[in-house]
Amino acid sequence: MIEVRNLTKKYGDHKAVDSLSFTVEQGEILGFLGPNGAGKSTTMNMITGYISASEGTAEIDGHDIFEEPEEAKKCIGYLPEIPPLYGDMRLREYLKFVAELKKVKKSERKNTLDEVMKLTSIKEMENRLIKNLSKGYKQRVGLAAALIGNPEVLILDEPTVGLDPKQIIEIRDLIRDLARNHTVILSSHILSEVAAVCDRVLIINKGKKIVIDTPENLSRRMGGSSGVEMKIKGEEGIVKEVLSGIEGVTDVSIKKGKHEEGIVYLTVYSSKEKEEELGEAIFYTLAENRCPILEMKAASMSLEEVFLEVTNDTHASKKKRRLLDSEKEKEEA
């Protein structure tokens, strides 16, 4: 549905976006992440045709955004980080204006406006002046405007900025529902939101693609080795000695901040080759040594930890990124 090829934007000698390439399949939600100044908004502005590219191109449903701008833009609903609203217009009046710009048939406009206002929970505000709305409601008006015309592709730049927790959950659920009939690119600084909503995550830094994969695969690959977090009843020294003796265990890390009499909190790490066998081996070994397991769950890096790791310019982080790319290439081969 979306294909970006070698997209580049130069400002003098500075490359805001540097030969960026990726695809988004129909019905997919792609999370678009990067530090401030990484080139996310610039990329979105080029994909939507708001600004030109220095090199490369983007196709929306087979239409080149620079060669066939009118056809490509018909397929796009765009919510920029700061929605371009007219404060002196009433909410419904503004949405009607947007519908006219998008050439929605006159006979369909009323139903279209009622539907998008209901979806974004702004119906009760339809006669209010936009300048008198809260930031959260203004954000929802921008999202409603993006939905007018039922575009195949939605590009959302920080759609939950200014919303309260309840509204964030509502918009998150709405985005999931929209993915049934739309392809979505979602940029957000709320990484837990991206992990909960998105099928894949694209992380860029300094205008370049760092990595693209599912949140689960990123967590697994960046972790380096597989781990299990545990709460065990027993004496710390004995528990650590028993677990360290299991074949395939590479490290046993005791959590010193946890203090409960006779309870040990720890993480057991193993080589990836022994990942599937680890749980069973731990269970039987601890049972034989009369150390009951009270809690046991897989340990993994959060998306926040992955993001910090891959956007870090330290030598160790660069080495991990190379390993990540190598593993991805092997899988694709």
Side-chain angles (χ1 to χ4, degrees):
M1 178 56 73
I2 302 172
E3 185 174 0
V4 175
R5 296 191 301 271
N6 301 315
L7 204 58
T8 301
K9 184 63 179 179
K10 298 177 184 176
Y11 293 102
D13 294 331
H14 173 66
K15 285 186 178 181
V17 178
D18 190 354
S19 300
L20 190 62
S21 297
F22 62 91
T23 60
V24 190
E25 300 299 327
Q26 186 170 3
E28 183 178 26
I29 304 177
L30 178 72
F32 195 29
L33 304 179
N36 289 333
K40 302 187 300 300
S41 293
T42 302
T43 300
M44 289 181 165
N45 284 331
M46 286 191 287
I47 293 174
T48 55
Y50 271 50
I51 61 175
S52 62
S54 303
E55 297 171 21
T57 191
E59 287 188 3
I60 312 296
D61 197 21
H63 302 290
D64 189 302
I65 190 65
F66 305 117
E67 299 294 331
E68 305 174 82
E70 189 170 343
E71 291 302 315
K73 288 177 183 180
K74 284 179 183 177
C75 304
I76 300 171
Y78 180 37
L79 173 65
E81 186 173 357
I82 302 174
L85 307 177
Y86 294 101
D88 291 326
M89 295 180 78
R90 298 188 186 278
L91 192 158
R92 188 180 189 93
E93 181 186 10
Y94 170 73
L95 293 181
K96 182 182 177 183
F97 169 66
V98 173
E100 290 171 358
L101 288 179
K102 291 189 175 185
K103 299 181 180 178
V104 175
K105 292 179 181 178
K106 196 170 184 179
S107 60
E108 298 175 0
R109 283 177 198 164
K110 183 180 184 304
N111 287 339
T112 296
L113 300 190
D114 288 341
E115 184 178 345
V116 297
M117 285 192 288
K118 183 180 178 181
L119 276 173
T120 52
S121 302
I122 56 175
K123 177 69 175 169
E124 69 276 13
M125 299 289 180
E126 64 179 319
N127 294 315
R128 295 275 299 274
L129 288 173
I130 289 176
K131 66 182 178 183
N132 294 332
L133 297 177
S134 68
K135 186 176 181 181
Y137 270 108
K138 287 177 181 176
Q139 198 72 9
R140 288 202 250 177
V141 173
L143 181 55
L147 291 171
I148 290 175
N150 195 31
E152 289 94 336
V153 173
L154 292 173
I155 298 180
L156 311 177
D157 194 356
E158 300 288 347
T160 57
V161 167
L163 303 187
D164 63 38
K166 182 175 181 293
Q167 292 168 341
I168 288 174
I169 293 170
E170 289 172 354
I171 295 298
R172 184 186 298 170
D173 291 341
L174 173 59
I175 292 169
R176 283 200 200 96
D177 290 340
L178 290 172
R180 296 174 188 170
N181 301 305
H182 305 268
T183 300
V184 182
I185 295 180
L186 167 66
S187 173
S188 176
H189 283 99
I190 306 174
L191 301 192
S192 58
E193 176 180 285
V194 173
V197 171
C198 298
D199 301 305
R200 287 191 302 154
V201 176
L202 167 64
I203 301 177
I204 69 171
N205 193 23
K206 297 180 180 177
K208 293 184 178 182
K209 179 173 73 176
I210 302 299
V211 66
I212 183 169
D213 209 333
T214 66
E216 295 79 11
N217 283 347
L218 287 175
S219 175
R220 178 175 58 81
R221 288 198 180 95
M222 289 301 295
S225 61
S226 301
V228 178
E229 293 182 0
M230 305 185 70
K231 178 182 177 182
I232 301 169
K233 188 175 182 180
E235 197 274 315
E236 182 181 305
I238 294 173
V239 170
K240 186 170 184 177
E241 182 181 351
V242 167
L243 290 173
S244 298
I246 297 174
E247 183 182 357
V249 170
T250 57
D251 186 33
V252 178
S253 176
I254 305 292
K255 295 184 179 179
K256 297 296 184 182
K258 301 276 189 177
H259 295 290
E260 254 182 271
E261 188 67 32
I263 304 295
V264 185
Y265 291 82
L266 51 79
T267 303
V268 182
Y269 295 97
S270 73
S271 58
K272 294 205 171 184
E273 293 75 20
K274 296 291 183 179
E275 180 179 358
E276 293 183 5
E277 306 167 19
L278 183 62
E280 188 175 328
I282 287 173
F283 178 82
Y284 284 116
T285 302
L286 289 174
E288 289 170 4
N289 288 271
R290 297 183 177 277
C291 298
I293 299 172
L294 304 181
E295 290 180 12
M296 184 174 179
K297 63 179 181 179
S300 61
M301 292 182 76
S302 67
L303 186 57
E304 286 89 347
E305 292 170 318
V306 171
F307 177 81
L308 291 172
E309 189 71 50
V310 300
T311 56
N312 194 329
D313 284 332
T314 64
H315 175 72
S317 293
K318 289 178 181 177
K319 186 176 179 182
K320 276 199 172 186
R321 290 202 295 270
R322 287 195 296 271
L323 176 64
L324 199 64
D325 291 339
S326 175
E327 287 186 3
K328 185 68 176 174
E329 287 170 5
K330 287 178 183 177
E331 283 190 6
E332 290 174 348

